[in-house]
Amino acid sequence: MSSSLRFEVVGEAFKKKAIEVPAPSERPSEFFAKYVFTRQKMYKYLPADVFKKMCDVMDNGATLDLATADKVAEGMKKWAMELGVTHCTHWFQPLTEGTAEKHDAFLEHDYKGGMVEEFSGKLLVQQEPDASSFPSGGIRSTFEARGYSAWDPASPVFVIGDTLMIPTVFISYTGEALDYKAPLKKALHAVDRAATDVCRYFYPDVKKVISNLGWEQEYFLVDEGLYAARPDLLMTGRTLMGHDSAKNQQMDDHYFGSIPGRVAAFMKDLEIQALELGIPCKTRHNEVAPNQFELAPIYEETNLAIDHNMLLMSVMKKVARKHGFRCLLHEKPFAGINGSGKHNNWSLATDTGILLHGPGKTPMDNLRFVTFIVETLMAVHRHNGLLKASIMSATNAHRLGAHEAPPAIISSFLGKQLSDVLDHLEKSTDDELIDLAGKHGMKLDIPQIPELMIDNTDRNRTSPFAFTGNRFEFRAVGSQANCAASMIVLNAAMAEALIHFKSRVDTLIQAGMDKMKAILKVVRDDIKTCRPIHFDGNGYSEEWKKEAAQRGLDVEASCPLVFDRYLDENSVKMFALTHVFTRPEIEARNEIKWETYTKKVQIEARIFGDMCLNHIIPVATRYQSALVKNVHDLQAIFPAEGTAGQLNAMNISLIKQISEHSSYIAEHVEKLIEARKVANRIKSEREKAIAYHDTVAPMLEDIRRHVDKLELIVDDEIWPLPKYRELLFIR
Ligand code: ADP
Ligand code: MG
């Protein structure tokens, strides 16, 4: 790109005005889920007996027979065609990023020489997309070549444009999961069963336990023209070079600031579309970094919440383009300012109320509350390394451990009140009354436990897994990640903790101990066991890293090595107990993780090399030549000076610096290519990823520093790439 093109796109970006988004004619409560085949619509479009069956399928996991499916499909088709729908697709979440779809027209031969719109139960329930182009980590070669997608009736179908979208799981012909949804549903089933069993100690009537998820999606917006002028953003989603802007987030003037016009129009448009798709958008605001924003819906059942997040991410990208933006979901698009995450607010609830909710009204409520808190901590403690693995990726690795983000160590923040409760409980004896009323407005009477007041007034932003009043907030999840990865591990680990809890309590009860006392004893033991995971201090501090290691927490930060945690004996056992993954499935999925890691770094390294050699060095040389010419010109006018004289001191210094940086860049880009070649020859995916992590990735950072120095030296007019100040401050 010539310099004038950079100025042109910057100029264009400045001139752009907000697109008018007409106000909807209805209220949000009226157009909410307009494009979703909701229960109300089922009631309207399905025969009464079919509707009843569908409710049984959705609420109690009953199996759907083909005859019913046919009738459901008929009703769905009618509804969809009224919206102008002509096609349908199974919509699934393969182990690549994002979602996948393959559209089929409703059209069929009518065998009378014409065509007819058809949509059968079979097509609704099952499809066989060619699985061979999706990553399977060798599952297909080991097992069976075909894969199929199967409808998930727990997530309603919806319409986008002219297409009926059917959420599905994606599995190999032999039943191994090739996606995120299948294992997620298994984990949710496991936690439902285990938590229901434990709940019945307290409330014998509980029928089921639901896992809830409320995600908070962070993202950046960048003007489309500027984005197009940055090959790195275009190809990798992040800037691989670029000097800090003089002003970035140091003034803290962006967070919760007023939302700029073009962005406000985008948000409004996005919210309308998301609401129409049944995503219950609630909160929108500016984030800490310039051009960074957040959207959060009201929490929903985890499976549905994840589908909604996947859907939202794709809608966001589309709407952004309509408004002349690109939406960046990368975890670290810009060095030196905050990256983006996706807090996962997680809780369990029965059909009657939230389990992580204090205060309780009865002693039973409080003991239930403490039990579920402590068993969550047990799960997080036992699988802290695995939880970290579940949120680790080549892109999120840039964020973890950086200053604004939680460190690459999983610990849990409880706050003063809850910490006190657990401390006192641990130290108390069975019949002792634990009274915190005087100190903290909290009274914990055991075994007769009255009211508990836990609120979330003291918040700790540095903790990756914080208790916030009625839920835990898993904050280390990456902004572009599929939340399913972390939710599979968290829910399955919780199921395991509850299964272990129950078997120990039952053993004591069988030995003749009173139920309450048995529960208390196990809770007390567990408070001691999981103590190391509890940390309310500053998670960003250097001391914490040391202390965490002493506590036996996982402190590994290398992305490919963190993936090993999936194959730890502890993890394999937990996944087997909960029927979430078999060992071959875990092995296959890890192969994909390592392969994906390698590919990401490989692509970055290639683009980076190109940019250095084709963009940066040529302009640096051009500027240097101009300086050299200037030296000669000056000498021609002042021959007595000599080229190295006082008059030329600045020129000579710049010429030297440019030479130094340019030759460093050229030489090290060569080395970078060499390092890639060496890594590429490695056969094992794991070893290759390690090589990319240890040799290739650090070179990008190292060389970048020299490029960024050149950016400061070279004439602004010929610098080819939009600068940080332009990318970040234009709306
Ligand atoms: P903050 O930024 O203060 O953490 P937000 O309001 O942005 O809070 O987001 C909090 C998210 O947590 C929302 O999606 C909200 O619906 C969700 N949430 C609230 N209570 C629960 C709960 N019990 N379980 C799961 N999610 C919850
Ligand atoms: Mg939050």
Side-chain angles (χ1 to χ4, degrees):
M1 179 169 78
S2 80
S3 61
S4 59
L5 184 52
R6 173 175 144 237
F7 283 159
E8 210 175 285
V9 287
V10 169
E12 286 299 314
F14 261 114
K15 276 187 272 168
K16 283 185 194 163
K17 294 260 176 318
I19 293 179
E20 199 67 48
V21 181
S25 56
E26 296 167 312
R27 268 183 256 148
S29 60
E30 288 162 338
F31 65 77
F32 181 72
K34 182 174 171 184
Y35 294 118
V36 186
F37 197 57
T38 55
R39 220 173 263 244
Q40 288 101 307
K41 280 168 201 142
M42 284 184 193
Y43 184 75
K44 185 171 162 200
Y45 285 88
L46 303 182
D49 59 323
V50 177
F51 173 74
K52 230 174 111 200
K53 259 197 196 148
M54 266 312 289
C55 289
D56 197 28
V57 169
M58 292 183 297
D59 298 337
N60 311 317
T63 359
L64 187 74
D65 57 274
L66 211 54
T68 311
D70 268 330
K71 288 184 189 140
V72 175
E74 194 54 41
M76 255 179 208
K77 188 184 79 180
K78 186 162 184 300
W79 167 72
M81 282 176 61
E82 284 170 15
L83 291 170
V85 168
T86 53
H87 287 66
C88 73
T89 181
H90 278 200
W91 181 72
F92 53 98
Q93 299 165 23
L95 297 169
T96 48
E97 282 145 11
T99 53
E101 45 196 82
K102 170 184 166 244
H103 297 204
D104 281 318
F106 281 158
L107 226 50
E108 286 291 346
H109 284 293
D110 68 355
Y111 300 105
K112 291 175 205 146
M115 301 293 272
V116 63
E117 270 79 22
E118 270 236 351
F119 178 50
S120 66
K122 179 146 188 324
L123 193 57
L124 165 65
V125 171
Q126 191 173 324
Q127 259 192 348
E128 295 192 18
D130 180 8
S132 58
S133 306
F134 293 105
S136 68
I139 279 188
R140 273 191 322 273
S141 52
T142 327
F143 299 96
E144 162 68 48
R146 269 179 298 173
Y148 64 90
S149 52
W151 183 33
D152 170 20
S155 183
V157 303
F158 53 94
V159 165
I160 292 193
D162 61 5
T163 307
L164 180 68
M165 314 287 286
I166 306 166
T168 58
V169 295
F170 183 43
I171 42 193
S172 80
Y173 199 67
T174 37
E176 289 79 19
L178 296 175
D179 72 345
Y180 283 107
K181 195 189 248 293
L184 175 76
K185 288 187 71 84
K186 292 180 185 173
L188 295 175
H189 182 63
V191 82
D192 170 12
R193 289 222 318 244
T196 304
D197 282 349
V198 170
C199 260
R200 287 192 180 139
Y201 285 136
F202 310 101
Y203 321 112
D205 297 336
V206 165
K207 288 191 190 62
K208 67 172 176 182
V209 171
I210 302 152
S211 162
N212 288 319
L213 167 64
W215 42 263
E216 301 163 54
Q217 179 71 54
E218 292 180 338
Y219 61 96
F220 278 89
L221 289 176
V222 172
D223 179 82
E224 193 164 42
L226 298 170
Y227 171 90
R230 293 279 319 211
D232 46 359
L233 267 184
L234 198 81
M235 309 296 273
T236 72
R238 76 171 177 119
T239 53
L240 299 171
M241 50 185 67
H243 200 278
D244 276 354
S245 167
K247 171 178 188 290
N248 48 52
Q249 63 189 43
Q250 65 273 65
M251 305 294 286
D252 285 329
D253 50 0
H254 190 64
Y255 193 54
F256 286 7
S258 77
I259 298 170
R262 264 178 84 193
V263 176
F266 157 82
M267 284 180 172
K268 185 171 167 194
D269 208 353
L270 172 64
E271 272 178 16
I272 294 170
Q273 297 196 30
L275 287 166
E276 285 176 343
L277 287 166
I279 305 170
C281 301
K282 176 90 171 163
T283 309
R284 60 181 183 205
H285 60 76
N286 287 2
E287 262 303 327
V288 173
N291 277 15
Q292 191 188 28
F293 308 93
E294 180 185 298
L295 183 149
I298 300 170
Y299 70 89
E300 300 175 283
E301 186 277 322
T302 298
N303 177 39
L304 184 60
I306 290 172
D307 283 0
H308 279 166
N309 182 243
M310 299 306 289
L311 184 55
L312 180 92
M313 289 195 287
S314 78
V315 175
M316 265 174 135
K317 287 184 194 159
K318 261 190 247 166
V319 178
R321 294 191 67 172
K322 182 172 150 196
H323 289 260
F325 288 120
R326 286 299 179 121
C327 172
L328 305 181
L329 292 174
H330 193 289
E331 283 80 2
K332 196 77 183 173
F334 305 99
I337 57 172
N338 281 11
S340 300
K342 177 153 55 201
H343 294 180
N344 279 199
N345 294 270
W346 169 86
S347 68
L348 294 177
T350 64
D351 26 338
T352 52
I354 285 176
L355 288 172
L356 297 172
H357 209 303
K361 290 201 175 47
T362 66
M364 273 299 186
D365 281 345
N366 283 334
L367 191 54
R368 173 268 303 156
F369 169 69
V370 172
T371 299
F372 277 87
I373 292 289
V374 171
E375 293 315 309
T376 306
L377 296 178
M378 285 294 279
V380 176
H381 177 236
R382 187 171 162 88
H383 296 291
N384 69 86
L386 178 62
L387 277 164
K388 180 167 62 188
S390 77
I391 48 108
M392 191 47 109
S393 65
T395 51
N396 203 21
H398 290 287
R399 183 173 156 261
L400 298 173
H403 273 307
E404 90 283 3
I409 300 165
I410 301 297
S411 64
S412 186
F413 168 87
L414 297 178
K416 174 106 178 76
Q417 291 186 323
L418 187 52
S419 305
D420 283 352
V421 170
L422 298 192
D423 286 348
H424 282 259
L425 196 49
E426 183 186 338
K427 285 177 205 126
S428 70
T429 55
D430 279 1
D431 303 313
E432 187 185 353
L433 182 95
I434 303 159
D435 185 355
L436 302 170
K439 260 195 259 166
H440 308 289
M442 190 169 28
K443 210 171 172 212
L444 186 64
D445 175 7
I446 292 171
Q448 274 80 43
I449 315 170
E451 215 141 283
L452 255 180
M453 294 287 291
I454 305 285
D455 64 36
N456 60 350
T457 45
D458 56 341
R459 304 190 108 193
N460 179 326
R461 290 270 162 205
T462 70
S463 175
F465 197 85
F467 180 70
T468 49
N470 60 358
R471 61 192 189 268
F472 280 94
E473 190 168 336
F474 194 7
R475 302 205 181 110
V477 182
S479 48
Q480 62 182 326
N482 185 326
C483 307
S486 61
M487 287 297 115
I488 290 167
V489 172
L490 181 58
N491 286 287
M494 183 64 176
E496 182 202 48
L498 293 168
I499 291 169
H500 288 168
F501 174 80
K502 181 162 191 303
S503 89
R504 283 173 300 151
V505 172
D506 285 350
T507 307
L508 294 176
I509 294 174
Q510 274 150 24
M513 196 184 272
D514 164 72
K515 184 174 82 181
M516 282 286 249
K517 284 194 175 155
I519 293 172
L520 263 174
K521 171 160 183 3
V522 176
V523 166
R524 272 202 198 102
D525 290 348
D526 286 354
I527 292 176
K528 286 193 194 86
T529 310
C530 67
R531 192 160 272 287
I533 200 70
H534 175 194
F535 177 64
D536 280 6
N538 179 6
Y540 297 175
S541 71
E542 276 307 309
E543 303 84 75
W544 170 231
K545 282 190 198 153
K546 279 189 218 114
E547 193 188 325
Q550 280 160 10
R551 292 186 184 195
L553 300 180
D554 192 296
V555 294
E556 181 58 62
S558 153
C559 178
L561 292 179
V562 168
F563 292 153
D564 285 346
R565 299 286 75 75
Y566 272 97
L567 286 160
D568 285 351
E569 226 23 67
N570 252 352
S571 309
V572 175
K573 266 196 211 146
M574 183 274 284
F575 286 131
L577 178 75
T578 51
H579 304 288
V580 170
F581 290 128
T582 60
R583 187 191 284 270
E585 279 178 311
I586 306 172
E587 281 167 356
R589 294 169 90 94
N590 258 23
E591 289 291 300
I592 296 171
K593 289 193 171 71
W594 285 312
E595 200 184 322
T596 307
Y597 179 86
T598 297
K599 281 184 185 159
K600 292 240 159 164
V601 182
Q602 194 175 51
I603 291 169
E604 286 190 351
R606 283 191 189 147
I607 310 282
F608 183 79
D610 283 358
M611 289 171 75
C612 286
L613 301 182
N614 306 328
H615 290 72
I616 305 306
I617 292 182
V619 290
T621 311
R622 208 192 320 161
Y623 181 54
Q624 192 182 39
S625 302
L627 292 171
V628 169
K629 182 171 178 304
N630 187 245
V631 169
H632 289 303
D633 288 354
L634 281 172
Q635 201 209 351
I637 305 171
F638 306 105
E641 264 290 315
T643 48
Q646 191 56 31
L647 266 181
N648 268 316
M650 184 196 72
N651 280 338
I652 297 292
S653 158
L654 288 176
I655 289 166
K656 270 197 194 141
Q657 287 179 52
I658 291 173
S659 280
E660 279 161 16
H661 291 307
S662 297
S663 46
Y664 189 96
I665 294 167
E667 185 190 325
H668 286 80
V669 165
E670 270 312 306
K671 289 190 174 152
L672 179 67
I673 294 166
E674 218 23 70
R676 251 164 53 211
K677 281 190 189 148
V678 172
N680 289 345
R681 282 196 286 269
I682 300 172
K683 286 274 170 304
S684 143
E685 289 297 349
R686 179 177 178 276
E687 298 306 318
K688 196 192 285 185
I690 293 172
Y692 263 90
H693 175 274
D694 294 353
T695 62
V696 178
M699 292 172 92
L700 289 180
E701 298 308 314
D702 175 51
I703 303 170
R704 172 196 180 133
R705 283 205 301 276
H706 294 269
V707 175
D708 294 352
K709 283 271 162 45
L710 282 178
E711 186 184 319
L712 288 185
I713 298 172
V714 172
D715 182 1
D716 184 57
E717 213 163 306
I718 61 168
W719 190 256
L721 303 168
K723 298 183 171 181
Y724 269 26
R725 64 166 187 263
E726 293 154 349
L727 291 164
L728 288 168
F729 289 93
I730 289 176
R731 275 105 187 219

